[in-house]
Amino acid sequence: MTSILLGYDIGVMSGAAIYIEKDLKVTDTQIEILLGILNLYSLIGSAMAGRTSDWVGRRYTIIISGAIFFTGAILMGLSTNYTFLMCGRFVAGLGVGYALTIAPVYAAEVSPASSRGFLTSFPEVFVNVGILLGYISNYAFSFCALDLGWRLMLGVGAIPSVILAIGVLAMPESPRWLVMQGRLGDARQVLDKTSDSKEESMLRLADIKEAAGIPEDCNDDIVQVTGHSHGEGVWKELLVHPTPTVLHILIAALGFHFFQQASGIDALVLYSPRVFEKAGITSSDQLLLCTVGVGLSKTVFTLVATFFLDRVGRRPLLLTSMAGMVVSLVCLGTSLTIVDQHEGARMTWAVVLCLFCVLAFVGFFSTGIGPIAWVYSSEIFPLRLRAQGCGMGVAVNRVMSGILSMTFISLYKAITMGGAFFLYAAIGAVGWIFFFTMLPETQGRTLEDMEVLFGKFHKWRKANKLLEKKRQVARGDGGTSDPDNRVNLLA
């Protein structure tokens, strides 16, 4: 539900902007700011969410995010002018920032390693469900009066917040947060419910206790935890004096979120009606129906990705996804450039090719880089740094989304729409190189083992081979037992 909040806003604003521009008599620049500013507002919520979740827990932070977004959606639906609408966007942005930070953290912390990729990719699945619902809402309310339709489109976004507030009452708290607070008994109960077996539950608890600095033989229900149980000192460890491992993790997470957005996904989703209009589709109804097709493509392909994340692995899906996006953007840019050169001519093939390239782009995005960004960044940070580290990733994600959303119209007016997509394709190609060299495979790894894979930067493959050898030794498949193996791996 937290992800549907964001997805609905992205989807609904793409169509509502058409009617807001007509009703409130605003300029293209004001529309750019209106659509993109929510991402920058969400930075405030994102910055607050990490510390809030360390203080009150992951579960109650989710309730806070829902309550804030509910207020924002109501304010947007009741807006009487552009300034009022911007105030509603500010409040909604706070809620989005909270939600985007805490949802993947919570999912990673309650999930067993065997299905963590599948479960942690759910935020991206439901972002796409939200986008699809937003597109459907655009089409459904497009037949209302001009001054009523777009207000209904935005106000309906409050409904998921209500469902979220009720549903969260049945959710357990994160076992990792409970251990950080010294509540071992409560954490043990949650792990028993969310593990594949009793043995795995005990192993997960032992790993979390080790990460939290609690002696392995301590089995009291309530213990005193020393150190950073509420997030103190985390920023210094992340930014001022990071170890090579933490620095590698930070670069990987922030780089991942940067390239996820810099490759142009939010610009294409938010402004898809303008892209289709440029290709030659002029009817408002047809434009909105095409956007529904975009939403369907994103949703279906994300569902496909969730079933392969824990079977195929992160890297194969990620590299295939980015390569497909680059090719799609090149083809889209080429078709729109040809349309520009034959302005006024009706070219059916250009419309078909444009629609196909947009659907292919969002399909490739949704099978890889879209869901994996949230899975990967939420599983690689050490426990003590996870909430704030993920918050930084969300901050980069939202800044880039905001920049693209607020510059797309100006960009394509300056270098043509085809040129804008060529630029995004070039950024995506650089992203593919970054992913190939810097990101190790994390499939099937425990959260507490990530420090072994990271810290070697582009030489991470050597550490990966050592981990595989360690796994074989533990299973009795060969090799010799080495009690100091973990020390050797970290060396």
Side-chain angles (χ1 to χ4, degrees), residues 174-250:
S174 159
R176 286 177 169 79
W177 183 83
L178 291 170
V179 170
M180 292 294 281
Q181 309 310 309
R183 295 165 56 182
L184 296 187
D186 293 337
R188 193 178 297 111
Q189 291 179 10
V190 175
L191 288 170
D192 287 344
K193 294 178 180 178
T194 59
S195 298
D196 295 329
S197 65
K198 184 73 173 179
E199 291 73 18
E200 184 190 357
S201 173
M202 294 171 63
L203 287 173
R204 290 176 68 189
L205 181 59
D207 285 342
I208 299 170
K209 284 161 63 176
E210 180 183 355
I214 299 174
E216 186 177 352
D217 57 356
C218 179
N219 293 309
D220 297 336
D221 286 346
I222 303 292
V223 299
Q224 184 68 35
V225 178
T226 58
H228 310 314
S229 60
H230 292 297
E232 301 87 344
V234 167
W235 293 114
K236 180 184 290 186
E237 192 171 353
L238 271 173
L239 301 176
V240 182
H241 300 296
T243 64
T245 297
V246 171
L247 182 60
H248 186 185
I249 289 173
L250 192 61

Side-chain angles (χ1 to χ4, degrees), residues 104-126:
V105 171
Y106 178 85
E109 293 185 345
V110 299
S111 306
S114 62
S115 56
R116 189 173 61 242
F118 174 74
L119 296 173
T120 312
S121 64
F122 273 15
E124 182 66 20
V125 172
F126 287 106

Side-chain angles (χ1 to χ4, degrees), residues 58-110:
R58 315 315 195 205
R59 192 167 73 128
Y60 289 111
T61 303
I62 294 174
I63 294 178
I64 292 171
S65 74
I68 296 173
F69 191 89
F70 175 86
T71 304
I74 295 298
L75 288 175
M76 288 190 292
L78 296 176
S79 297
T80 55
N81 53 51
Y82 184 78
T83 302
F84 196 159
L85 189 55
M86 286 291 284
C87 291
R89 297 290 282 170
F90 172 75
V91 177
L94 294 181
V96 166
Y98 265 92
L100 277 179
T101 300
I102 200 58
V105 171
Y106 178 85
E109 293 185 345
V110 299

Side-chain angles (χ1 to χ4, degrees), residues 105-165:
V105 171
Y106 178 85
E109 293 185 345
V110 299
S111 306
S114 62
S115 56
R116 189 173 61 242
F118 174 74
L119 296 173
T120 312
S121 64
F122 273 15
E124 182 66 20
V125 172
F126 287 106
V127 163
N128 291 320
V129 170
I131 290 173
L132 178 58
L133 291 174
Y135 288 154
I136 293 172
S137 176
N138 286 155
Y139 186 71
F141 294 115
S142 65
F143 302 100
C144 297
L146 178 63
D147 60 343
L148 177 64
W150 66 265
R151 291 182 170 87
L152 289 175
M153 295 174 191
L154 300 182
V156 167
I159 294 176
S161 304
V162 178
I163 300 173
L164 174 66

Side-chain angles (χ1 to χ4, degrees), residues 23 63 79 99 143 190 271 334 342 345 362-363 385 423 434 443 474 476 481:
D23 187 31
I63 294 178
S79 297
F143 302 100
V190 175
Y271 295 103
T334 301
H342 297 80
V362 298
L385 309 177
L423 176 61
F434 173 82
Q443 178 193 15
S481 178

Side-chain angles (χ1 to χ4, degrees), residues 151-344:
R151 291 182 170 87
L152 289 175
M153 295 174 191
L154 300 182
V156 167
I159 294 176
S161 304
V162 178
I163 300 173
L164 174 66
I166 297 172
V168 78
L169 299 176
M171 291 163 51
E173 183 51 85
S174 159
R176 286 177 169 79
W177 183 83
L178 291 170
V179 170
M180 292 294 281
Q181 309 310 309
R183 295 165 56 182
L184 296 187
D186 293 337
R188 193 178 297 111
Q189 291 179 10
V190 175
L191 288 170
D192 287 344
K193 294 178 180 178
T194 59
S195 298
D196 295 329
S197 65
K198 184 73 173 179
E199 291 73 18
E200 184 190 357
S201 173
M202 294 171 63
L203 287 173
R204 290 176 68 189
L205 181 59
D207 285 342
I208 299 170
K209 284 161 63 176
E210 180 183 355
I214 299 174
E216 186 177 352
D217 57 356
C218 179
N219 293 309
D220 297 336
D221 286 346
I222 303 292
V223 299
Q224 184 68 35
V225 178
T226 58
H228 310 314
S229 60
H230 292 297
E232 301 87 344
V234 167
W235 293 114
K236 180 184 290 186
E237 192 171 353
L238 271 173
L239 301 176
V240 182
H241 300 296
T243 64
T245 297
V246 171
L247 182 60
H248 186 185
I249 289 173
L250 192 61
I251 292 172
L254 300 189
F256 207 138
H257 281 287
F258 172 85
F259 285 111
Q260 188 209 45
Q261 289 299 325
S263 54
I265 182 63
D266 273 9
L268 192 59
V269 171
L270 276 171
Y271 295 103
S272 55
R274 289 179 183 253
V275 176
F276 295 134
E277 187 176 12
K278 185 69 174 178
I281 302 174
T282 55
S283 167
S284 296
D285 291 347
Q286 290 178 345
L287 287 174
L288 293 179
L289 278 176
C290 286
T291 61
V292 172
V294 173
L296 280 171
S297 178
K298 278 180 69 45
T299 304
V300 170
F301 280 101
T302 302
L303 289 172
V304 171
T306 61
F307 290 99
F308 285 97
L309 268 172
D310 290 312
R311 298 180 184 179
V312 177
R314 282 49 160 165
R315 278 177 60 84
L317 285 176
L318 177 60
L319 296 175
T320 303
S321 167
M322 183 55 89
M325 289 166 60
V326 170
V327 173
S328 300
L329 286 170
V330 170
C331 292
L332 179 59
T334 301
S335 64
L336 291 173
T337 300
I338 294 173
V339 168
D340 262 342
Q341 293 173 348
H342 297 80
E343 190 172 355

